[in-house]
Amino acid sequence: MNKKKWLPDAPQTERTFYFLIFALIVCGLAVLLFLEHRGVENTINWDILSELGEIPVQLDSDPNGGKLFGKAFIIKEQFVPSPLVISTWLVAGYLGVGALALVLLLCAVVALPRLWYLASMTIFVGLLASFRLEILQLFGSTNALAFGAVVLLLGGLSYYFHAFRPHTDFRQKAFGFALLLLLLGILAHFGARAPLPALTLASYSVLGMGALSVVFIFFNSFEVIVGFVYVVSNRRTGLGKNSLLNFLFISFLYLLTVLLIYLQNTRQLTGDFWLVSPFALLAISTILGFWGFKKRTKDYLPFDEVGAWLYAGGALLTVATVAYALGTNNNPLIEVFEDAIVYSQLALATVFVFYAGLNFYPLFKQGLEVHKVLYKPLKMSLAQVWTVGGLAAVSLLAADRFLAIDQAQAGYYNALGDLYTTTKEYKLAEEYYKLALQRDFQNHKSNFSLASLALAQGDRPTAGVYFNQALRKNPSPQAYAGLSKALLDENLFFDAIFNLRRGNQAFPKSGELQTNLGYLYARTRIADSTLYYWQLAPQNTRRPEVAAANLLAFYAQNPELAPAQDTPRGTYPSYEANRLAQLRTTDANASFAITLPADSALSVNNLAYLYNYATHQRDTTLLPLLRRLEEKESNFYDDLQLARAYVSYYGGNKIEALDLLASKITADTSAKTALNRQTLNFWLAKESSNSFGNLVALKTEVDYQNALRQSPFDVALLQQATVFFNQQKRPQIAYQAILNALRFNRTSPAVQQLYIMQALQMHLTDFAEDGLKDLAALVSPADFQAFLKTYQAQRQQVEAKKNMEW
């Protein structure tokens, strides 16, 4: 189409701005349809609840065939619905686009004749009154200060343009209104005492903005039919003398589609079939309106000064408001907009088909371009279309007992409930959600929100009631999952499974519900059902790694059912924890893939992976992380300490590992240290029979240090190391090595003798004398007397050497 047919005949800058507004509206409609597609996920995410479990595994072995059994951690996870989340970008987008819409509407209004201007400004003041600006508590005031200031400033500026500067350029008017609204927004942001001024304004404004949106929807309801007239009668796309028949045929198909949507929305038509979304019809009619509005109003409304900006402003306002309702999943308000679209299009579009056929039958038959004279009727006027169509729409509304009015109020209360939930004023939020239920008792939004608030207060039975009620009209996988979790927490296990199976039947493509079903069946040890749902779930969820991790946990508990092929490595902590638990002694080259922030708390899935990895891989690079976590994670202290002991023991510092376990056992005799004590005893027994072997290869200090780390209790190694370090004039290193061995093996006469002689070598005669007393209790009197002679001879040499030095 030629741009002149829909762009204003104005300076190029205004035409460009109008085109940009058109592009913004198209983008907004795309966002609107995306938000509709996401549905309940706009405000409710899937959280993951991790459960820590244990399986028995072999942790270590010794050369003699001895085995140390302990535990490996496994993680089983289920999906639970998150608390309510209102996106910041959604609030900002709604207020920003809404403000731009008001700028355009005000620019259009000031160019209207006096009576129309006064009527329009009266509506505008009423709109501002519905915003309840006093709730913002501007500078602490709870009276009408904010409302009065906004009315005075915006009303004054609009009256100035209307009465004193009627010929002001559009750009100047738009700049003036935009600047004033921007300053008012900044003032509200910094001067409001309400906790969240932006969300407060957004929540209280939805009723008034929604009412104007319904007016725009109603006014734009037959643009699709106008588009059909253009297609069938245009010279380039038309069908000549068959245009009337084709027009009636495609109009019939369109109206039949709208009728089916109406029957489906009013529950008069049931069945699992797909129909066009009402919001798709809104998007099409809104875009077509940019061409049709100019033709429709050119005889009584100057398009360049008023019509273009009036339509653009109304479209922007409607797109912003409907998108906000969809983005907050406000079911009653969404249904109000759906009814407005369907009722108006069904009623007015039907009447408009008669209007087009009755007025232009001869022109259709002649194959002429009817679209050029569509708003120049010969018999039936456009006013009659509005009258008859409006009455028909009201009749449809009455047939539903004016439920839309109650739903509009319920949507308003839901918006306020969202506000006070976000500000953590839960009692007030609960009251508003209950008010919404009084208007629309089956709406999903209110029931789900009340269930979430009940769960937050630990009231699971009440939460279950509201979750169940949320399933009546607009069921969601999240509501089924929430109901099942509430029942499970009340130990109603089979009821939880029953409701999850209901949910899976209603939403067979919900991998989250299938994951949860597998989780529950795993508790009953029904292996085939568990495997079925956990193998099916990854195909139907955005988090397939959760079901995959659960599957590995199942295989770790039931190794006889595990597939023969290797399990691929992943990056999800729970998956990796379960993989290491399942493949206990394989995949020796696994890498540590978790990066924990320095100030983060340790989650159970990270603990499981960290523990399994440390006890399996014994990677010394984990030592700083384990030490840091031990200091702050009191709940997991024993497990983290055992993990660090494994890393130290197999990383070449066996004495540190033994010290770590021994100190814990001495300080704590609780059941938590049973595995630590068992591990310590096993390692001590293992080291008592461990010898270094090739002593001839030891030449340097580094060689000896490494050998002592590997075999700290080897008596032959200790003897040779003592001779070496004494010769190197570093007897303290030998003394510490002997002392380490003695601390863990006090019943070894050979180690005790080495300690006595090294203490004597270092002139620690008091320690040496104490060592003699301990040795006397370990050996026979004859052996003690034989060693005593050696000791006394050595002592005389040491004392003589000491006297010579003096």
Side-chain angles (χ1 to χ4, degrees):
M1 292 184 184
N2 193 320
K3 289 184 178 181
K4 293 182 179 180
K5 294 185 178 181
W6 68 283
L7 288 174
D9 297 325
Q12 184 60 41
T13 54
E14 291 186 26
R15 292 162 61 88
T16 302
F17 181 69
Y18 189 72
F19 181 80
L20 292 176
I21 294 296
F22 171 76
L24 177 61
I25 290 171
V26 172
C27 292
L29 289 169
V31 172
L32 182 152
L33 294 175
F34 172 73
L35 292 173
E36 183 200 15
H37 172 72
R38 290 193 69 202
V40 71
E41 293 184 7
N42 289 318
T43 55
I44 304 167
N45 300 319
W46 284 112
D47 287 344
I48 297 173
L49 187 61
S50 301
E51 179 184 284
L52 188 65
E54 301 175 3
I55 58 170
V57 295
Q58 179 182 327
L59 290 176
D60 206 348
S61 62
D62 62 29
N64 299 322
K67 296 180 180 179
L68 172 64
F69 289 94
K71 67 182 180 184
F73 284 124
I74 59 172
I75 295 291
K76 293 180 182 178
E77 295 180 326
Q78 56 180 315
F79 288 99
V80 293
S82 73
L84 172 75
V85 176
I86 302 296
S87 300
T88 303
W89 70 265
L90 180 67
V91 176
Y94 167 65
L95 293 179
V97 175
L100 178 57
L102 291 180
V103 168
L104 298 181
L105 290 172
L106 286 170
C107 288
V109 164
V110 298
L112 290 172
R114 177 60 56 90
L115 290 179
W116 285 105
Y117 167 76
L118 292 176
S120 299
M121 288 306 297
T122 301
I123 295 173
F124 177 70
V125 171
L127 176 68
L128 291 178
S130 72
F131 289 1
R132 298 287 303 279
L133 297 176
E134 67 275 9
I135 302 297
L136 294 176
Q137 302 176 42
L138 192 63
F139 302 113
S141 172
T142 58
N143 54 30
L145 172 64
F147 171 71
V150 173
V151 170
L152 180 64
L153 293 172
L154 286 175
L157 183 59
S158 72
Y159 188 76
Y160 170 76
F161 285 135
H162 173 77
F164 301 106
R165 298 288 300 275
H167 301 296
T168 303
D169 183 81
F170 167 80
R171 291 166 292 182
Q172 295 177 339
K173 291 187 291 186
F175 178 78
F177 285 121
L179 180 61
L180 184 54
L181 279 175
L182 178 62
L183 293 175
L184 288 172
I186 295 173
L187 183 66
H189 178 76
F190 291 103
R193 297 293 183 265
L196 297 172
L199 183 58
T200 300
L201 181 58
S203 301
Y204 277 95
S205 67
V206 293
L207 192 59
M209 297 282 277
L212 290 183
S213 300
V214 169
V215 172
F216 177 84
I217 290 169
F218 183 81
F219 187 77
N220 218 39
S221 54
F222 51 75
E223 287 296 340
V224 175
I225 303 297
V226 175
F228 291 159
V229 173
Y230 179 87
V231 170
V232 300
S233 67
N234 187 275
R235 290 187 182 278
R236 288 174 294 178
T237 60
L239 301 170
K241 295 182 179 181
N242 294 322
S243 58
L244 178 62
L245 181 62
N246 287 282
F247 167 70
L248 293 176
F249 179 71
I250 60 177
S251 297
F252 170 76
L253 292 180
Y254 169 74
L255 293 174
L256 178 61
T257 301
V258 178
L259 177 62
L260 291 175
I261 297 172
Y262 166 76
L263 294 175
Q264 188 179 60
N265 286 358
T266 55
R267 305 298 193 271
Q268 299 178 54
L269 181 67
T270 58
D272 188 15
F273 54 89
W274 180 85
L275 288 174
V276 176
S277 163
F279 297 110
L281 300 181
L282 172 64
I284 295 170
S285 61
T286 300
I287 293 173
L288 291 176
F290 275 90
W291 282 268
F293 187 78
K294 181 176 182 179
K295 293 181 179 180
R296 196 192 321 170
T297 60
K298 67 178 182 179
D299 292 336
Y300 58 88
L301 197 66
F303 183 74
D304 299 340
E305 297 181 3
V306 179
W309 312 114
L310 190 63
Y311 185 83
L316 272 179
L317 184 145
T318 302
V319 169
T321 308
V322 175
Y324 187 74
L326 290 165
T328 55
N329 193 43
N330 197 337
N331 306 105
L333 200 56
I334 292 171
E335 292 182 17
V336 168
F337 292 131
E338 286 180 339
D339 290 346
I341 296 166
V342 173
Y343 291 176
S344 62
Q345 296 218 8
L346 186 59
L348 279 159
T350 301
V351 176
F352 196 84
V353 171
F354 283 100
Y355 164 88
L358 186 63
N359 282 309
F360 306 108
Y361 172 78
L363 300 183
F364 274 119
K365 294 297 292 181
Q366 296 175 47
L368 299 177
E369 293 186 304
V370 177
H371 65 93
K372 292 184 176 180
V373 294
L374 188 59
Y375 297 111
K376 296 179 179 180
L378 301 174
K379 299 178 181 179
M380 185 180 184
S381 68
L382 201 58
Q384 290 174 307
V385 173
W386 289 113
T387 302
V388 176
L391 290 174
V394 172
S395 299
L396 292 173
L397 187 62
D400 206 17
R401 299 181 181 181
F402 295 98
L403 175 62
I405 296 175
D406 288 332
Q407 288 182 314
Q409 292 177 298
Y412 178 64
Y413 292 137
N414 275 341
L416 299 185
D418 291 349
L419 167 64
Y420 293 113
T421 298
T422 306
T423 59
K424 303 188 185 314
E425 298 173 79
Y426 297 125
K427 290 298 181 183
L428 194 54
E430 185 177 333
E431 290 301 318
Y432 277 116
Y433 286 132
K434 287 181 177 179
L435 285 173
L437 284 185
Q438 293 176 15
R439 299 293 180 180
D440 185 12
F441 75 98
Q442 288 186 335
N443 84 83
H444 181 279
K445 173 77 171 184
S446 303
N447 282 297
F448 194 98
S449 299
L450 285 169
S452 298
L453 290 175
L455 279 182
Q457 300 172 52
D459 189 354
R460 290 187 290 269
T462 300
V465 171
Y466 283 121
F467 276 131
N468 190 50
Q469 192 159 299
L471 295 171
R472 294 184 179 181
K473 187 177 181 182
N474 300 107
S476 68
Q478 289 83 351
Y480 277 111
L483 175 59
S484 174
K485 184 63 171 62
L487 293 170
L488 187 63
D489 290 343
E490 287 295 296
N491 296 318
L492 299 173
F493 183 80
F494 292 104
D495 290 334
I497 286 185
F498 172 76
N499 281 283
L500 270 185
R501 293 185 64 181
R502 283 177 53 210
N504 186 58
Q505 291 174 355
F507 298 96
K509 294 298 183 180
S510 173
E512 292 78 17
L513 294 183
Q514 291 160 357
T515 298
N516 290 5
L517 266 171
Y519 171 85
L520 291 186
Y521 277 118
R523 295 181 58 165
T524 65
R525 299 192 179 278
I526 302 178
D528 54 348
S529 295
T530 303
L531 282 173
Y532 172 76
Y533 286 111
W534 278 348
Q535 289 174 342
L536 180 64
Q539 307 168 31
N540 300 315
T541 176
R542 297 190 186 99
R543 299 293 304 273
E545 66 276 11
V546 175
N550 285 342
L551 201 57
L552 288 183
F554 176 82
Y555 290 145
Q557 288 183 300
N558 304 274
E560 70 280 1
L561 299 177
Q565 66 268 23
D566 292 337
T567 303
R569 184 180 295 127
T571 57
Y572 184 53
S574 299
Y575 178 93
E576 280 295 280
N578 293 342
R579 182 178 68 88
L580 289 170
Q582 182 202 5
L583 309 174
R584 185 58 214 151
T585 59
T586 62
D587 198 16
N589 295 321
S591 60
F592 186 67
I594 298 176
T595 301
L596 296 176
D599 58 347
S600 69
L602 188 66
S603 62
V604 291
N605 51 4
N606 283 343
L607 166 72
Y609 177 44
L610 192 58
Y611 176 89
N612 289 352
Y613 182 82
T615 56
H616 181 225
Q617 293 299 118
R618 296 114 185 215
D619 186 349
T620 55
T621 61
L622 294 181
L623 287 174
L625 173 62
L626 291 169
R627 289 192 184 97
R628 175 174 60 79
L629 291 174
E630 279 181 54
E631 295 175 357
K632 58 185 295 188
E633 301 291 346
S634 58
N635 292 335
F636 306 133
Y637 179 81
D638 294 286
D639 299 316
L640 290 169
Q641 192 175 58
L642 181 60
R644 182 157 70 94
Y646 264 90
V647 173
S648 296
Y649 184 82
Y650 286 97
N653 201 336
K654 294 181 178 180
I655 292 299
E656 179 182 337
L658 297 172
D659 268 338
L660 193 62
L661 296 182
S663 62
K664 177 60 180 174
I665 292 171
T666 303
D668 188 353
T669 59
S670 66
K672 289 184 178 181
T673 63
L675 183 56
N676 294 27
R677 184 180 291 104
Q678 180 183 350
T679 304
L680 176 63
N681 293 335
F682 184 86
W683 283 346
L684 288 175
K686 183 178 180 179
E687 289 304 317
S688 65
S689 60
N690 183 29
S691 61
F692 181 75
N694 189 11
L695 297 179
V696 178
L698 304 179
K699 303 297 184 182
T700 67
E701 179 179 335
V702 174
D703 294 336
Y704 276 101
Q705 292 279 22
N706 290 335
L708 288 170
R709 290 192 186 95
Q710 296 177 44
S711 304
F713 301 156
D714 185 350
V715 176
L717 173 61
L718 287 170
Q719 290 173 339
Q720 185 168 319
T722 300
V723 172
F724 175 81
F725 285 112
N726 285 341
Q727 290 174 350
Q728 297 295 318
K729 307 300 183 181
R730 303 189 68 182
Q732 68 277 7
I733 297 178
Y735 177 79
Q736 186 60 51
I738 298 169
L739 185 62
N740 288 336
L742 187 63
R743 284 190 297 111
F744 294 102
N745 195 4
R746 288 191 172 277
T747 60
S748 170
V751 176
Q752 190 71 39
Q753 291 172 2
L754 278 174
Y755 172 75
I756 294 169
M757 299 305 290
Q758 187 64 13
L760 187 62
Q761 176 72 22
M762 297 177 66
H763 307 295
L764 303 174
T765 53
D766 290 340
F767 291 170
E769 293 293 331
D770 291 338
L772 282 174
K773 296 177 184 179
D774 295 333
L775 181 64
L778 297 175
V779 298
S780 65
D783 291 338
F784 180 74
Q785 289 299 322
F787 176 77
L788 186 60
K789 291 179 182 179
T790 304
Y791 168 76
Q792 289 174 343
Q794 182 66 26
R795 180 169 180 173
Q796 288 176 0
Q797 293 179 10
V798 170
E799 289 179 348
K801 183 177 179 180
K802 184 178 180 180
N803 291 332
M804 290 178 62
E805 292 174 353
W806 280 100

